[in-house]
Amino acid sequence: MSNSEAQTEIGQDAAILECHKKFLGSKGFNPILSSLNKQSILRFESLGIPHGKHEMFTFVDTKGLIQIVSQGRRERIGTVSEDIINRNIYPGCEKSIIVIVDGFYVKSLSNIRGAGNSVHVMNIEKAVSDINLNRYLLNIAERESDVFSSINGAFFTGGIMIDIANDTNLSTPLQILHISTSPVEEPAMITPRIVLRAGNSSSASVIVKYIGTAGDYLVNSTMDVMLEDGAVLKLWQVQADSPKAWHLSKTHVQMSRMSKLGTVLAYSGCKIARSNFEVHLSGEGAELTLNGISVLCENEQAHSYIRVYHEAPGCISNQLFRNIVKGRARTSVDGTVIVREGAQLTCSEQLINNLVLSDDARADTKPNLMIYNDNVKCTHGSTAGSLDEDQIFYLRTRNFTEVSARALLTASFAKKVINSIDYPPVAEEVRDILLKKLET
Amino acid sequence: MLEIKDLSAGFQGKEIIRGISLTIKKGEVHSIMGPNGSGKTTFTRVLAGHPSFDVLGGEITFNGKNLLGMSPEERGLAGLFISYQDPVEIPGVNNAEFLRMAYNAKLLHHGREEVDPLEFDELIDSKMKILGMDQKYKERSVNDGFSGGEKKKNEVLQMTVLEPVLTVLDEIDSGLDIDAMKVVAEGVNRLMNKERGLIVITHYQRLLNYIKPDFVHILSGGRIVRSGGYELASELEAVGYDRLIINSEKKE
Ligand SMILES: Nc1ncnc2c1ncn2[C@@H]1O[C@H](COP(=O)(O)OP(=O)(O)OP(=O)(O)O)[C@@H](O)[C@H]1O
Ligand SMILES: [Mg+2]
C-alpha cells in the first residue's frame, strides 16, 4: 500500500466517524438504539476500513464502496410508485408483504393480514426494549467481522423485527421487499436492518427481494435470523438491484436444536454485489442447506462470502453454488466451514460450480475447511469450465440449433439451484430474471 | 438418397477417411464392418458434420442436397440420424424433455404444430413400450449414469421418435444383451420401409441376423476394401479381417 493510499483510508475512517457523530445529533437518530449504534461504531473503529489486500475481500475491490460509505447514511425516504411495488409482489404474497423503502419500514405499503396473529412485525426500536434481544444484538455487534455490517449497525434506524410465534405453521410465504431509490444529492448509502425470529417448532418461508429504481445507490443491508428449537425456515434472497447499484448484505444466522434452514441466494449482480452469510449451527441436530445461483453479464459482479460454524454435535450443512459469468463479469465464492471441537458427527458438503462463458469473465473460488475434531464427514470442491462441446454437438445432431443447445445446457446448469426454491412463483421469476440475461 | 463420392477426411491434419465412395438408395440396408480404428466412427462424425473433423476432399449428396454444406442441425432436420457408439451424457437435461424438443424442432421444420408435453407423453410411451424401456428413463437426465446397453436403447428410442429418412447405427449392438438386441433390432426393422435407408456399423454377424443388410462393406485404413452381399459377413466371421483383407487385396 502506498503512503498516499494509506492516508486516504485514514481520512475515510475519520470521515465515517465524523458522519456518525453528526448522525447521533440528528433527528434521524433514535436514542433507544443508542447502545447498538455505539457498539457498532466502536467495532468499526477497531476493524477499520479494509485495505486493498484484506483477506475478507480477496476478490472484491472495495475502493468505490468505501468512497460511498464514507459519506454516511441517507436520511430521507424516497418516493416509490404503487405500481413498482405491485409488480414485485409474488403471487400469493399480497397479504403477507413487508415493504422497506430506502431502509425504512413503510407500514402503509405493507400488508401482513394474511399471516394472522402468529406473525408480529414491529419497529426494531420497539423490539429492542426486550432486554434479551438487545443483549443478543449487542453481542453480535461486538464480534462482527464484516466492517460494512458494523457500519450498518452504527447507522441503522427504521428497521423491523419479525417474530414468528412458536408452533406457527405459515402456509404462504412472507415477502420482504426492499426498494432502494435514486440518491440524487443525498448520500448514496442506505442501511436496512431486519431481525427475524422463527419460534420453537414453527415452520415458515420468507422471501427477501431487493430491487431499485434507477440510480447509483448502495444498499448496505444486515439481517439477523434466529431459529429456535425445531424451527423450520426457508429463506430465499433474490437480489435484482439496478445494474448501477452497489449491494452489500450480511446475514447472521443462529440455529438452535433440531432447527432447519433452507436458503437460496439468487443474485443477478450489479456494480458490486456481495453477500456475507454467517451461520452458527449451535444446537444439536441443526441442518443447513445453503445454495447460491448467480448469472452475471457485462461488468456485473456478485460475490459470496460464506462462513458456516458447526458448534454442536450431529449438525448437517450442505452448500451448492452455481454461478454463470459472461462478458467481463466476475463472481467469487469464499466459503469456509469451521467444525468446532465439540461438534462430533458433523456432516458437511460444499460444492461450487462455475460456468464461464467468455474469456474475459472471471470466477474465483476459495473453499476451505477448518476441522477441530476427528469424528466428522466433510467434503468440499469446486469446478470451473465452459459448456461441453460434445454435448453441444450431440444436441445439434438432434435438431437443436447451436444457440438453443447452449441455452438448454446453460439453463440446466442453473436448474438444480433454482429448483431448490420450492415456491414456484419465486423459482419461475428467478429463472426469468437470470436466464433472460443470457439471451443478450 | 445418399451419394458419397471419394470422400476423404481427417483430424488435425491426419487423414483418417481416405477415399470412400458409397451409394445408398431408398429402401436399402447397408452394413459397414471393419477392424478397430479403421475409421467407421470417424465416417459417422463426418456425415453428422462434427466441427473437429475436416473434409479434405470428395462430396456427399443427400436427397439431392449438398450435405457437406449443411450444419449438423440442418442435416438432422433433413432426416439424417446418427446413433452414437458412445452416446454423450447430459446431466441436468431431462430425457423426455430433450426428446420432445428435438421432435418439436422437426415438426416446426415441416411447418407443423408443436406437441405439448401431454401429447408427447403418449408418443414416447408407446415407443418405449416397443423397446421394453422402463418409464423411469423419461425422468432421468439424458444418458446420465445409463448403463452401456441403456444408452444404446436410448439412441434407438430417439430414432424411433424422430423417424429419420436415413439412419446410421454405430455399433448399436455393443453393450446390448441378447434379448435387448432382438428388441432393438425389431424396433429398427419396424421403422424401415421403401422410403428409408439404413447403415448398420457392427463388428458381429449376430446383429445382421436380425437386421438383414442388402450390402456389406469392409472398411480398412479409411477405405472400403471390399463390398458384397450379406454372405460377406459370414465370410468375415469365418476367416477374420486379416485374411479377408489380404484376400481382397490379392483380388485387386
Ligand atoms: N478425436 C480424435 N482424436 C485423435 N484421434 C482420433 C480422433 N478420432 C478418431 N481418431 C483416430 O482415427 C482412427 C479411426 O478411429 P474411429 O473411431 O473412426 O475407428 P472405428 O473404426 O470406429 O473403431 P472401433 O471399431 O474401435 O469403434 C483411430 O486411429 C483413432 O485413434
Ligand atoms: Mg467406432
Side-chain angles (χ1 to χ4, degrees), chain A residues 297-375:
Chain A
C297 301
E298 292 168 12
N299 287 306
E300 290 166 349
Q301 296 196 20
H303 304 274
S304 307
Y305 181 89
I306 310 295
R307 290 295 178 270
V308 174
Y309 296 88
H310 280 262
E311 295 165 346
C315 294
I316 299 172
S317 71
N318 285 311
Q319 297 179 51
L320 175 65
F321 284 82
R322 294 255 161 112
N323 302 305
I324 302 172
V325 277
K326 228 177 99 168
R328 303 177 54 80
R330 291 187 58 175
T331 180
S332 71
V333 180
D334 178 335
T336 300
V337 173
I338 302 102
V339 182
R340 298 272 195 234
E341 215 168 316
Q344 301 291 320
L345 299 170
T346 288
C347 269
S348 164
E349 252 181 64
Q350 183 189 43
L351 182 60
I352 304 159
N353 301 126
N354 291 317
L355 184 57
V356 183
L357 296 177
S358 74
D359 293 342
D360 294 329
R362 227 179 110 173
D364 293 294
T365 54
K366 203 167 121 190
N368 194 16
L369 271 169
M370 294 163 73
I371 305 176
Y372 301 97
N373 118 41
D374 328 313
N375 200 357

Coordinates of all heavy atoms in Angstrom, one line a residue, chain A residues 297-375:
Chain A
C297 N -23.6 -10.7 -16.4 CA -23.2 -10.3 -17.7 C -22.4 -9.0 -17.7 O -22.3 -8.3 -16.7 CB -24.4 -10.0 -18.6 SG -25.4 -11.4 -18.8
E298 N -21.8 -8.6 -18.8 CA -21.1 -7.4 -19.0 C -20.1 -7.2 -17.8 O -19.3 -8.0 -17.6 CB -22.1 -6.2 -19.1 CG -22.8 -6.4 -20.4 CD -24.0 -5.5 -20.6 OE1 -24.2 -4.5 -19.8 OE2 -24.8 -5.7 -21.5
N299 N -20.3 -6.0 -17.1 CA -19.3 -5.8 -16.0 C -19.9 -6.1 -14.6 O -19.3 -5.7 -13.6 CB -18.9 -4.3 -16.0 CG -18.0 -4.0 -17.2 OD1 -16.9 -4.7 -17.4 ND2 -18.3 -3.1 -18.0
E300 N -20.9 -6.9 -14.6 CA -21.6 -7.2 -13.3 C -20.7 -8.0 -12.4 O -19.9 -8.8 -12.9 CB -22.9 -7.9 -13.5 CG -23.9 -6.9 -14.1 CD -25.2 -7.7 -14.7 OE1 -25.1 -8.9 -14.8 OE2 -26.1 -7.0 -15.0
Q301 N -20.9 -7.8 -11.1 CA -20.2 -8.7 -10.1 C -21.1 -9.2 -9.0 O -22.0 -8.4 -8.6 CB -19.1 -7.8 -9.5 CG -18.0 -7.4 -10.4 CD -16.7 -6.9 -9.7 OE1 -16.5 -7.3 -8.6 NE2 -15.9 -6.1 -10.4
A302 N -20.9 -10.4 -8.6 CA -21.6 -10.9 -7.4 C -20.6 -11.8 -6.7 O -20.0 -12.7 -7.3 CB -22.8 -11.6 -7.8
H303 N -20.5 -11.5 -5.4 CA -19.5 -12.3 -4.6 C -20.2 -12.9 -3.4 O -21.0 -12.2 -2.8 CB -18.4 -11.4 -4.1 CG -17.7 -10.7 -5.3 ND1 -16.6 -11.3 -6.0 CD2 -17.9 -9.5 -5.9 CE1 -16.2 -10.5 -7.0 NE2 -17.0 -9.4 -6.9
S304 N -19.8 -14.1 -3.0 CA -20.3 -14.6 -1.8 C -19.2 -14.9 -0.8 O -18.2 -15.4 -1.2 CB -21.0 -16.0 -2.1 OG -22.0 -15.8 -3.1
Y305 N -19.5 -14.5 0.4 CA -18.5 -14.8 1.5 C -19.3 -15.6 2.5 O -20.2 -15.1 3.2 CB -18.0 -13.5 2.0 CG -17.0 -13.6 3.1 CD1 -15.6 -13.7 2.8 CD2 -17.4 -13.6 4.5 CE1 -14.7 -13.8 3.8 CE2 -16.4 -13.8 5.5 CZ -15.1 -13.8 5.2 OH -14.1 -13.9 6.1
I306 N -18.9 -16.9 2.7 CA -19.7 -17.8 3.5 C -18.9 -18.3 4.7 O -17.8 -18.8 4.5 CB -20.2 -19.0 2.6 CG1 -20.8 -18.5 1.3 CG2 -21.1 -19.9 3.4 CD1 -22.0 -17.8 1.4
R307 N -19.5 -18.2 5.8 CA -18.8 -18.9 7.0 C -19.9 -19.7 7.7 O -20.9 -19.2 8.1 CB -18.3 -17.8 8.0 CG -17.0 -17.0 7.4 CD -15.8 -18.0 7.2 NE -14.7 -17.3 6.6 CZ -14.4 -17.2 5.3 NH1 -15.3 -17.7 4.4 NH2 -13.3 -16.6 4.9
V308 N -19.6 -21.0 7.8 CA -20.5 -21.9 8.5 C -19.8 -22.5 9.7 O -18.8 -23.1 9.5 CB -21.0 -23.0 7.5 CG1 -21.9 -24.0 8.3 CG2 -21.8 -22.4 6.4
Y309 N -20.4 -22.2 10.9 CA -19.7 -22.7 12.1 C -20.5 -23.9 12.6 O -21.7 -23.8 13.0 CB -19.7 -21.6 13.1 CG -18.8 -20.5 12.7 CD1 -19.3 -19.4 12.0 CD2 -17.5 -20.4 13.1 CE1 -18.5 -18.3 11.6 CE2 -16.7 -19.3 12.7 CZ -17.2 -18.3 12.0 OH -16.4 -17.2 11.6
H310 N -19.9 -25.1 12.7 CA -20.5 -26.2 13.3 C -20.1 -26.2 14.8 O -18.9 -26.4 15.1 CB -20.1 -27.5 12.7 CG -20.8 -27.8 11.4 ND1 -21.9 -28.7 11.3 CD2 -20.6 -27.4 10.1 CE1 -22.3 -28.8 10.1 NE2 -21.6 -28.0 9.3
E311 N -21.1 -25.9 15.7 CA -20.7 -25.7 17.1 C -21.3 -26.7 18.0 O -21.0 -26.7 19.2 CB -21.1 -24.3 17.5 CG -20.4 -23.2 16.8 CD -21.0 -21.8 16.9 OE1 -22.1 -21.7 17.3 OE2 -20.3 -20.9 16.5
A312 N -22.1 -27.6 17.4 CA -22.8 -28.6 18.3 C -22.8 -30.0 17.5 O -22.6 -30.0 16.3 CB -24.3 -28.2 18.5
P313 N -22.9 -31.1 18.2 CA -22.9 -32.4 17.6 C -24.0 -32.6 16.6 O -25.1 -32.1 16.8 CB -22.9 -33.4 18.8 CG -22.8 -32.6 20.0 CD -23.2 -31.2 19.7
G314 N -23.7 -33.5 15.7 CA -24.8 -34.0 14.8 C -25.4 -33.0 13.9 O -26.6 -33.2 13.5
C315 N -24.7 -32.0 13.5 CA -25.3 -31.0 12.6 C -24.9 -31.3 11.2 O -23.9 -31.9 10.9 CB -24.9 -29.6 13.0 SG -25.6 -29.0 14.6
I316 N -25.8 -30.8 10.3 CA -25.5 -31.1 8.8 C -25.5 -29.7 8.1 O -26.3 -28.9 8.3 CB -26.6 -32.0 8.2 CG1 -26.7 -33.3 8.9 CG2 -26.4 -32.1 6.7 CD1 -27.9 -34.2 8.5
S317 N -24.5 -29.6 7.2 CA -24.6 -28.4 6.3 C -24.3 -28.8 4.9 O -23.3 -29.5 4.7 CB -23.7 -27.3 6.8 OG -22.3 -27.6 6.6
N318 N -25.1 -28.4 4.0 CA -24.9 -28.7 2.6 C -24.9 -27.4 1.8 O -25.8 -26.6 1.9 CB -26.0 -29.6 2.0 CG -25.8 -31.0 2.5 OD1 -24.7 -31.6 2.4 ND2 -26.9 -31.6 3.0
Q319 N -23.9 -27.2 1.0 CA -23.8 -26.0 0.2 C -23.6 -26.3 -1.3 O -22.8 -27.2 -1.6 CB -22.6 -25.1 0.6 CG -22.7 -24.6 2.0 CD -21.4 -23.8 2.3 OE1 -21.1 -22.9 1.6 NE2 -20.7 -24.1 3.4
L320 N -24.4 -25.6 -2.1 CA -24.2 -25.8 -3.5 C -24.2 -24.4 -4.2 O -25.3 -23.7 -4.1 CB -25.2 -26.7 -4.1 CG -25.2 -26.9 -5.7 CD1 -23.9 -27.5 -6.1 CD2 -26.4 -27.6 -6.2
F321 N -23.2 -24.1 -4.9 CA -23.2 -22.8 -5.6 C -23.0 -23.0 -7.1 O -22.2 -23.8 -7.5 CB -22.0 -21.9 -5.1 CG -22.3 -21.3 -3.8 CD1 -22.1 -22.0 -2.6 CD2 -22.9 -20.0 -3.7 CE1 -22.4 -21.4 -1.4 CE2 -23.2 -19.4 -2.5 CZ -22.9 -20.2 -1.3
R322 N -23.8 -22.4 -7.9 CA -23.7 -22.4 -9.3 C -23.7 -21.0 -9.8 O -24.7 -20.3 -9.7 CB -24.9 -23.2 -9.9 CG -25.0 -24.6 -9.5 CD -24.5 -25.5 -10.7 NE -24.2 -26.8 -10.3 CZ -24.9 -27.9 -10.6 NH1 -26.0 -27.9 -11.3 NH2 -24.4 -29.1 -10.1
N323 N -22.6 -20.6 -10.5 CA -22.5 -19.2 -11.0 C -22.2 -19.3 -12.5 O -21.4 -20.1 -12.9 CB -21.4 -18.5 -10.3 CG -21.6 -18.4 -8.8 OD1 -22.6 -18.0 -8.3 ND2 -20.6 -18.9 -8.0
I324 N -22.8 -18.4 -13.2 CA -22.6 -18.3 -14.6 C -22.1 -16.9 -14.9 O -22.7 -15.9 -14.6 CB -23.9 -18.5 -15.4 CG1 -24.5 -19.9 -15.0 CG2 -23.7 -18.4 -16.9 CD1 -25.9 -20.2 -15.6
V325 N -21.0 -16.8 -15.6 CA -20.4 -15.5 -15.9 C -20.2 -15.3 -17.4 O -19.7 -16.3 -18.1 CB -19.1 -15.2 -15.1 CG1 -19.4 -14.6 -13.8 CG2 -18.2 -16.4 -15.1
K326 N -20.4 -14.2 -17.9 CA -20.3 -13.8 -19.3 C -19.7 -12.5 -19.4 O -19.6 -11.8 -18.4 CB -21.8 -13.8 -19.9 CG -22.0 -14.5 -21.1 CD -23.5 -14.4 -21.5 CE -23.7 -13.3 -22.6 NZ -25.0 -13.4 -23.2
G327 N -19.3 -12.1 -20.6 CA -18.8 -10.7 -20.8 C -17.5 -10.5 -20.0 O -16.6 -11.4 -20.0
R328 N -17.5 -9.5 -19.2 CA -16.4 -9.2 -18.3 C -16.8 -9.4 -16.8 O -16.2 -8.8 -15.9 CB -15.8 -7.8 -18.5 CG -15.4 -7.5 -20.0 CD -15.0 -6.1 -20.1 NE -13.9 -5.7 -19.2 CZ -12.6 -6.0 -19.3 NH1 -12.2 -6.7 -20.4 NH2 -11.7 -5.7 -18.4
A329 N -17.8 -10.2 -16.6 CA -18.4 -10.3 -15.3 C -17.5 -11.1 -14.4 O -16.6 -11.8 -14.8 CB -19.7 -11.0 -15.4
R330 N -17.7 -10.8 -13.1 CA -16.9 -11.5 -12.1 C -17.7 -12.1 -10.9 O -18.6 -11.4 -10.5 CB -15.9 -10.5 -11.5 CG -14.8 -10.1 -12.4 CD -13.7 -9.3 -11.7 NE -13.2 -10.1 -10.6 CZ -12.2 -9.6 -9.9 NH1 -11.6 -8.4 -10.1 NH2 -11.7 -10.4 -8.9
T331 N -17.4 -13.3 -10.5 CA -18.0 -13.9 -9.4 C -17.0 -14.5 -8.5 O -15.9 -14.8 -8.9 CB -19.1 -14.9 -9.8 OG1 -19.7 -15.5 -8.6 CG2 -18.4 -16.1 -10.5
S332 N -17.3 -14.6 -7.2 CA -16.4 -15.4 -6.4 C -17.2 -16.0 -5.2 O -18.2 -15.5 -4.8 CB -15.3 -14.5 -5.8 OG -15.8 -13.6 -4.8
V333 N -16.7 -17.2 -4.8 CA -17.3 -17.8 -3.6 C -16.1 -18.0 -2.6 O -15.2 -18.8 -3.0 CB -18.0 -19.1 -3.9 CG1 -18.6 -19.6 -2.6 CG2 -19.1 -18.8 -4.9
D334 N -16.1 -17.4 -1.5 CA -15.1 -17.6 -0.5 C -15.8 -18.2 0.7 O -16.6 -17.6 1.4 CB -14.5 -16.2 -0.1 CG -13.5 -16.3 1.0 OD1 -13.5 -17.2 1.8 OD2 -12.7 -15.3 1.1
G335 N -15.7 -19.5 0.8 CA -16.5 -20.2 1.8 C -15.7 -21.1 2.7 O -14.9 -21.9 2.2
T336 N -15.9 -20.9 4.0 CA -15.2 -21.8 4.9 C -16.2 -22.4 5.9 O -17.1 -21.8 6.3 CB -14.2 -20.9 5.8 OG1 -13.3 -20.3 4.9 CG2 -13.4 -21.8 6.8
V337 N -16.0 -23.7 6.1 CA -16.7 -24.4 7.1 C -15.8 -24.7 8.3 O -14.7 -25.2 8.1 CB -17.3 -25.7 6.5 CG1 -18.0 -26.6 7.6 CG2 -18.2 -25.5 5.4
I338 N -16.3 -24.3 9.5 CA -15.5 -24.4 10.7 C -16.2 -25.4 11.6 O -17.3 -25.2 11.9 CB -15.3 -23.1 11.4 CG1 -14.6 -22.0 10.5 CG2 -14.4 -23.2 12.7 CD1 -15.6 -21.0 9.9
V339 N -15.5 -26.5 11.9 CA -16.1 -27.5 12.8 C -15.4 -27.4 14.1 O -14.2 -27.7 14.3 CB -15.9 -28.9 12.2 CG1 -16.6 -29.9 13.1 CG2 -16.5 -29.0 10.8
R340 N -16.1 -27.0 15.1 CA -15.5 -26.8 16.5 C -15.3 -28.1 17.1 O -15.9 -29.1 16.8 CB -16.5 -25.9 17.3 CG -16.7 -24.5 16.7 CD -15.7 -23.6 17.3 NE -16.1 -22.2 17.0 CZ -15.4 -21.3 16.4 NH1 -14.2 -21.6 15.9 NH2 -15.8 -20.1 16.2
E341 N -14.5 -28.1 18.2 CA -14.1 -29.2 18.9 C -15.2 -30.2 19.3 O -15.2 -31.4 19.1 CB -13.3 -28.8 20.1 CG -12.2 -29.7 20.5 CD -11.3 -29.1 21.5 OE1 -11.0 -27.8 21.4 OE2 -10.9 -29.7 22.5
G342 N -16.3 -29.6 19.9 CA -17.3 -30.4 20.4 C -18.3 -30.9 19.3 O -19.2 -31.7 19.6
A343 N -18.1 -30.5 18.1 CA -19.1 -30.8 17.1 C -18.9 -32.2 16.5 O -18.6 -32.3 15.3 CB -19.2 -29.7 16.0
Q344 N -19.1 -33.2 17.3 CA -19.0 -34.6 16.8 C -20.0 -34.9 15.7 O -21.1 -34.3 15.7 CB -19.2 -35.6 18.0 CG -18.3 -35.4 19.2 CD -16.9 -35.8 18.8 OE1 -16.6 -36.8 18.1 NE2 -15.9 -35.0 19.3
L345 N -19.7 -35.9 14.9 CA -20.7 -36.4 13.9 C -21.2 -35.3 13.0 O -22.4 -35.3 12.6 CB -21.8 -37.1 14.6 CG -21.4 -38.3 15.4 CD1 -22.6 -38.8 16.3 CD2 -20.9 -39.4 14.5
T346 N -20.3 -34.3 12.7 CA -20.7 -33.3 11.7 C -20.7 -33.9 10.3 O -19.8 -34.6 10.0 CB -19.7 -32.1 11.8 OG1 -19.9 -31.4 13.1 CG2 -19.8 -31.2 10.7
C347 N -21.7 -33.4 9.5 CA -21.7 -33.8 8.1 C -21.7 -32.5 7.3 O -22.6 -31.6 7.6 CB -22.9 -34.5 7.7 SG -22.8 -36.3 7.8
S348 N -20.7 -32.3 6.5 CA -20.7 -31.0 5.8 C -20.2 -31.2 4.3 O -19.3 -32.0 4.1 CB -19.8 -30.1 6.5 OG -19.5 -29.0 5.6
E349 N -20.9 -30.6 3.4 CA -20.6 -30.7 2.0 C -20.6 -29.3 1.4 O -21.5 -28.5 1.7 CB -21.7 -31.5 1.3 CG -21.2 -32.9 0.8 CD -22.4 -33.6 0.1 OE1 -22.7 -33.1 -1.0 OE2 -22.8 -34.6 0.6
Q350 N -19.6 -29.1 0.6 CA -19.7 -27.8 -0.1 C -19.2 -28.0 -1.6 O -18.1 -28.6 -1.8 CB -18.7 -26.8 0.6 CG -18.8 -25.4 -0.1 CD -17.7 -24.5 0.4 OE1 -16.6 -24.9 0.6 NE2 -18.1 -23.3 0.7
L351 N -20.0 -27.5 -2.5 CA -19.6 -27.7 -3.9 C -19.9 -26.4 -4.6 O -21.0 -25.8 -4.5 CB -20.4 -28.8 -4.5 CG -20.1 -29.1 -6.0 CD1 -18.7 -29.5 -6.2 CD2 -21.1 -30.2 -6.5
I352 N -18.9 -25.9 -5.3 CA -19.0 -24.7 -6.1 C -18.8 -25.0 -7.6 O -17.7 -25.5 -7.9 CB -18.0 -23.6 -5.6 CG1 -18.1 -23.4 -4.1 CG2 -18.1 -22.3 -6.4 CD1 -16.9 -22.8 -3.5
N353 N -19.7 -24.8 -8.4 CA -19.6 -25.0 -9.9 C -19.7 -23.7 -10.6 O -20.7 -23.0 -10.4 CB -20.7 -25.9 -10.4 CG -20.7 -27.3 -9.7 OD1 -21.7 -27.7 -9.2 ND2 -19.5 -27.9 -9.7
N354 N -18.7 -23.3 -11.4 CA -18.8 -22.1 -12.1 C -18.8 -22.4 -13.6 O -18.1 -23.3 -14.1 CB -17.6 -21.2 -11.8 CG -17.7 -20.6 -10.4 OD1 -18.8 -20.2 -10.0 ND2 -16.6 -20.7 -9.7
L355 N -19.7 -21.7 -14.3 CA -19.8 -21.8 -15.8 C -19.3 -20.5 -16.4 O -19.8 -19.5 -16.1 CB -21.2 -22.1 -16.2 CG -21.5 -22.4 -17.7 CD1 -20.7 -23.5 -18.2 CD2 -23.0 -22.6 -17.9
V356 N -18.1 -20.6 -17.0 CA -17.5 -19.4 -17.5 C -17.7 -19.3 -19.1 O -17.2 -20.2 -19.8 CB -16.0 -19.4 -17.2 CG1 -15.3 -18.1 -17.6 CG2 -15.8 -19.6 -15.7
L357 N -18.5 -18.4 -19.5 CA -18.9 -18.4 -20.9 C -18.1 -17.4 -21.8 O -18.4 -17.3 -23.0 CB -20.4 -18.0 -21.0 CG -21.4 -19.0 -20.4 CD1 -22.8 -18.6 -20.5 CD2 -21.2 -20.4 -21.0
S358 N -17.2 -16.7 -21.2 CA -16.3 -15.9 -22.1 C -14.9 -15.8 -21.5 O -14.7 -16.0 -20.3 CB -16.9 -14.4 -22.2 OG -16.7 -13.7 -21.0
D359 N -14.0 -15.4 -22.4 CA -12.6 -15.4 -21.9 C -12.3 -14.3 -20.9 O -11.4 -14.4 -20.1 CB -11.7 -15.1 -23.2 CG -11.7 -16.3 -24.1 OD1 -12.1 -17.4 -23.7 OD2 -11.3 -16.1 -25.3
D360 N -13.1 -13.2 -21.0 CA -12.8 -12.1 -20.1 C -13.6 -12.2 -18.7 O -13.4 -11.4 -17.9 CB -13.2 -10.8 -20.8 CG -12.3 -10.5 -21.9 OD1 -11.1 -10.9 -21.9 OD2 -12.8 -9.9 -22.9
A361 N -14.4 -13.2 -18.6 CA -15.2 -13.3 -17.4 C -14.3 -14.1 -16.4 O -13.4 -14.8 -16.8 CB -16.5 -14.1 -17.6
R362 N -14.6 -13.9 -15.1 CA -13.8 -14.5 -14.1 C -14.6 -15.1 -13.0 O -15.5 -14.5 -12.5 CB -12.8 -13.4 -13.5 CG -11.4 -13.9 -13.4 CD -10.5 -12.8 -12.9 NE -10.1 -13.2 -11.6 CZ -9.2 -12.6 -10.9 NH1 -8.7 -11.4 -11.4 NH2 -8.8 -13.0 -9.7
A363 N -14.2 -16.3 -12.5 CA -14.9 -16.9 -11.4 C -13.8 -17.4 -10.5 O -13.0 -18.3 -10.8 CB -15.7 -18.1 -11.9
D364 N -13.8 -16.9 -9.3 CA -12.8 -17.3 -8.3 C -13.5 -18.1 -7.2 O -14.7 -17.9 -6.8 CB -12.1 -16.1 -7.6 CG -11.3 -15.4 -8.6 OD1 -10.3 -15.9 -9.1 OD2 -11.6 -14.2 -9.0
T365 N -12.8 -19.1 -6.6 CA -13.3 -19.8 -5.5 C -12.3 -20.0 -4.5 O -11.1 -20.1 -4.8 CB -13.9 -21.2 -5.9 OG1 -12.8 -21.9 -6.6 CG2 -15.0 -21.1 -6.8
K366 N -12.7 -20.0 -3.2 CA -11.8 -20.3 -2.1 C -12.5 -21.1 -1.1 O -12.9 -20.7 -0.1 CB -11.4 -18.9 -1.5 CG -10.0 -19.0 -0.8 CD -9.5 -17.6 -0.5 CE -9.4 -17.3 1.0 NZ -9.1 -15.9 1.2
P367 N -12.7 -22.4 -1.4 CA -13.3 -23.3 -0.5 C -12.3 -23.7 0.6 O -11.2 -23.9 0.3 CB -13.8 -24.5 -1.3 CG -12.9 -24.5 -2.5 CD -12.3 -23.1 -2.6
N368 N -12.8 -23.8 1.8 CA -11.9 -24.1 2.9 C -12.6 -24.8 4.0 O -13.8 -24.6 4.3 CB -11.3 -22.8 3.4 CG -10.1 -23.0 4.3 OD1 -9.5 -24.1 4.3 ND2 -9.8 -22.0 5.1
L369 N -11.9 -25.7 4.7 CA -12.4 -26.5 5.8 C -11.5 -26.3 7.0 O -10.3 -26.4 6.9 CB -12.4 -28.0 5.5 CG -13.6 -28.5 4.8 CD1 -13.3 -30.0 4.3 CD2 -14.8 -28.6 5.7
M370 N -12.0 -26.0 8.2 CA -11.2 -26.0 9.4 C -11.8 -26.9 10.4 O -12.9 -26.6 10.9 CB -11.1 -24.5 9.9 CG -10.4 -23.6 8.9 SD -10.7 -21.9 9.3 CE -9.7 -21.7 10.7
I371 N -11.2 -28.0 10.6 CA -11.8 -29.0 11.5 C -11.0 -29.3 12.7 O -9.8 -29.5 12.7 CB -11.9 -30.4 10.7 CG1 -12.7 -30.1 9.4 CG2 -12.6 -31.4 11.5 CD1 -12.8 -31.3 8.5
Y372 N -11.7 -29.1 13.8 CA -11.0 -29.3 15.1 C -11.5 -30.5 15.9 O -11.7 -30.4 17.1 CB -11.2 -28.0 16.0 CG -10.6 -26.8 15.3 CD1 -11.5 -25.9 14.6 CD2 -9.3 -26.5 15.3 CE1 -11.0 -24.8 13.9 CE2 -8.7 -25.4 14.6 CZ -9.6 -24.6 13.9 OH -9.1 -23.5 13.2
N373 N -11.8 -31.5 15.2 CA -12.3 -32.8 15.8 C -12.3 -33.9 14.7 O -12.4 -33.6 13.5 CB -13.6 -32.4 16.5 CG -14.8 -33.2 16.0 OD1 -14.8 -34.3 15.7 ND2 -15.9 -32.4 15.9
D374 N -12.1 -35.1 15.1 CA -11.9 -36.2 14.0 C -13.2 -36.8 13.5 O -13.2 -37.4 12.4 CB -11.0 -37.3 14.5 CG -10.0 -36.9 15.5 OD1 -9.4 -35.9 15.2 OD2 -9.9 -37.5 16.6
N375 N -14.2 -36.8 14.4 CA -15.4 -37.6 14.1 C -16.4 -36.9 13.1 O -17.5 -36.6 13.5 CB -16.1 -38.0 15.4 CG -17.0 -39.2 15.2 OD1 -17.1 -39.7 14.1 ND2 -17.6 -39.6 16.3

